[in-house]
Amino acid sequence: MGRSNVGKSSLLNTLVQRRIARTSRSPGKTQTINYYAVDDACYFVDLPGYGYAAVPTIVRQRWGPMTEAYMVDNPRLAGVVSLVDCRHPPTPLDRAMTTWLAEKRLPVLAVLTKADKVGRAAREERIQETTRSLGLDSEQVIWCSSRTGEGRDHVLAAVDGLLERKVDA
Ligand code: GTP
Ligand code: MG
């Protein structure tokens, strides 16, 4: 999940190394909940984004009920990967969403995307700021770039961790 245009569908494509999810330069591309089977292991689920005024009203109005119905009391949900743009601090909406996920006791992994847009030194700073701002533990926040593929292995390992916890639970 994450703000419209943050790069959710792009990350999904990078993780599976196929262009299966549609991406766009303009926000509001993904408007429904899309399931992608990953071998026989799990599904990656691509959600519409939140927080962009330019997104059609009907899509914005549907977002809350649709994602809430999907996430709340979903026994198959292993965790939520919450995306934040590496160039900016989390928005108030990002913070509200993370609080909501914590209230629902859903495991969260925060991924700082578009890391190719900032230098390595700045990434570390962004990670610390995001960790603080979202009230997460440091191991819950990682960075990646869907453009260069950097950080992909780290995201996959963290997702694997969520799946293992789910299987153990
Ligand atoms: P919605 O479906 O509208 O909510 O957006 P989304 O979060 O799925 O974003 P999407 O993957 O469609 O990407 C939005 C734009 O960001 C596209 O132009 C992508 O090419 C670009 N983008 C995504 N990830 C990266 C990245 O890691 N680096 C750079 N430089 N651009 C990226
Ligand atoms: Mg999308």
Side-chain angles (χ1 to χ4, degrees):
M1 77 187 294
R3 204 172 142 80
S4 283
N5 208 241
V6 73
K8 299 175 294 297
S9 304
S10 301
L11 176 63
L12 199 148
N13 288 339
T14 296
L15 294 182
V16 301
Q17 292 185 305
R18 283 176 59 194
R19 294 191 56 80
I20 46 176
R22 294 230 186 120
T23 63
S24 164
R25 227 176 287 195
S26 349
K29 181 66 181 178
T30 310
Q31 302 201 349
T32 53
I33 297 178
N34 293 279
Y35 294 68
Y36 298 95
V38 181
D39 300 330
D40 287 327
C42 66
Y43 289 91
F44 286 167
V45 180
D46 191 18
L47 297 180
Y50 56 74
Y52 241 98
V55 170
T57 313
I58 182 72
V59 178
R60 275 185 285 138
Q61 285 171 345
R62 273 196 322 224
W63 192 89
M66 187 162 64
T67 48
E68 192 164 344
Y70 166 65
M71 287 189 192
V72 175
D73 298 327
N74 181 343
R76 302 184 66 190
L77 183 57
V80 177
V81 181
S82 180
L83 276 71
V84 175
D85 191 319
C86 218
R87 294 168 292 182
H88 311 289
T91 65
L93 209 44
D94 290 329
R95 292 164 56 124
M97 290 301 167
T98 312
T99 304
W100 183 81
L101 293 170
E103 278 168 16
K104 301 292 173 199
R105 302 195 172 284
L106 288 165
V108 178
L109 178 68
V111 174
L112 289 171
T113 56
K114 310 198 183 181
D116 53 285
K117 298 274 196 186
V118 304
R120 280 194 175 256
R123 282 178 206 168
E124 200 41 53
E125 212 175 292
R126 306 299 334 172
I127 287 204
Q128 284 175 22
E129 185 181 357
T130 303
T131 307
R132 257 198 320 271
S133 164
L134 297 180
L136 298 173
D137 294 329
S138 55
E139 69 272 14
Q140 285 177 286
V141 186
I142 56 184
W143 59 263
C144 81
S145 163
S146 300
R147 182 152 295 171
T148 65
E150 269 185 291
R152 173 180 177 269
D153 291 350
H154 200 165
V155 177
L156 283 174
V159 168
D160 223 29
L162 290 177
L163 290 171
E164 273 167 24
R165 272 170 60 187
K166 179 71 183 161
V167 171
D168 291 343

